[in-house]
Amino acid sequence: MKIYTSLALILLTVMLFMGCKDNTKVQPVRKVQKVVEPKGPRVMGDNTVSRKVGWVGGIYTVEVKRHADKSLAKASDGSHEYYDNKISVRILRQNGSEFFNREFTKADFKAKVDDQYYKNGALLGIVFVRSEGPELVFAASVGNPDKSSDEYVPLVLKISKLGTVTITQDENLE
């Protein structure tokens, strides 16, 4: 009987120690990933937008393509360099023939932006807005190339039914 009592006592002691064991879990070691800064100038991102538009009695396709151009002077946000953009605007008639095709750079907007934006800024974008009588109206911008920045000069680009281009500063900030 003493053996059974001793075994029970030993078993009870082992269970007591196991029950009192520290239950805190060891967290796995996490590797901290290093943020790798890109070497060389950054790219704002290429994109293409195509849209059908009713204009001067027909249906036209307006296509706007933005791409970084390494041959242009670089833009800067103060801490990083960026490749500036070229933006092509192409307008096709309903039958597929080309009505208008022109590539724009920041130089096309030089007369409408101040020297600081022209020197350090980039051509950020051209976006179709609406058809207005004999003209197609686009919003354009030149400014800080950082995506998180809201520093830019708003511009209006108009293409007439004869294919002429006019550029003005946007005074109506909607």
Side-chain angles (χ1 to χ4, degrees), residues 112-146:
K112 303 301 176 187
V113 298
D114 65 27
D115 291 338
Q116 188 64 21
Y117 277 111
Y118 186 75
K119 180 182 174 192
N120 295 320
L123 177 56
L124 302 176
I126 297 176
V127 178
F128 174 76
V129 177
R130 68 184 173 276
S131 62
E132 189 174 85
E135 298 175 319
L136 292 176
V137 180
F138 296 80
S141 57
V142 173
N144 187 326
D146 183 2

Side-chain angles (χ1 to χ4, degrees), residues 2-138:
K2 281 187 171 185
I3 292 180
Y4 291 118
T5 308
S6 296
L7 284 175
L9 189 58
I10 291 173
L11 183 61
L12 186 61
T13 306
V14 169
M15 288 176 48
L16 182 65
F17 279 115
M18 289 179 70
C20 292
K21 182 179 134 184
D22 186 14
N23 285 331
T24 59
K25 291 184 179 180
V26 176
Q27 294 292 326
V29 176
R30 293 184 186 174
K31 292 183 180 181
V32 177
Q33 287 188 343
K34 217 175 174 184
V35 176
V36 178
E37 286 288 326
K39 294 183 181 186
R42 296 177 176 192
V43 177
M44 286 175 262
D46 298 348
N47 71 353
T48 301
V49 176
S50 184
R51 184 171 164 186
K52 297 230 182 270
V53 176
W55 181 50
V56 291
I59 302 295
Y60 290 77
T61 301
V62 176
E63 182 181 86
V64 180
K65 286 185 181 181
R66 178 179 77 179
H67 69 278
D69 190 322
K70 295 178 181 181
S71 70
L72 297 172
K74 293 177 186 67
S76 174
D77 67 358
S79 57
H80 299 99
E81 280 191 328
Y82 293 80
Y83 288 116
D84 202 348
N85 297 308
K86 276 189 180 176
I87 300 177
S88 65
V89 176
R90 190 169 171 226
I91 304 169
L92 303 172
R93 294 180 186 91
Q94 195 167 2
N95 65 7
S97 65
E98 193 172 78
F99 163 71
F100 182 87
N101 188 2
R102 180 169 166 188
E103 206 166 48
F104 292 91
T105 65
K106 181 174 61 177
D108 293 304
F109 302 92
K110 183 177 183 176
K112 303 301 176 187
V113 298
D114 65 27
D115 291 338
Q116 188 64 21
Y117 277 111
Y118 186 75
K119 180 182 174 192
N120 295 320
L123 177 56
L124 302 176
I126 297 176
V127 178
F128 174 76
V129 177
R130 68 184 173 276
S131 62
E132 189 174 85
E135 298 175 319
L136 292 176
V137 180
F138 296 80

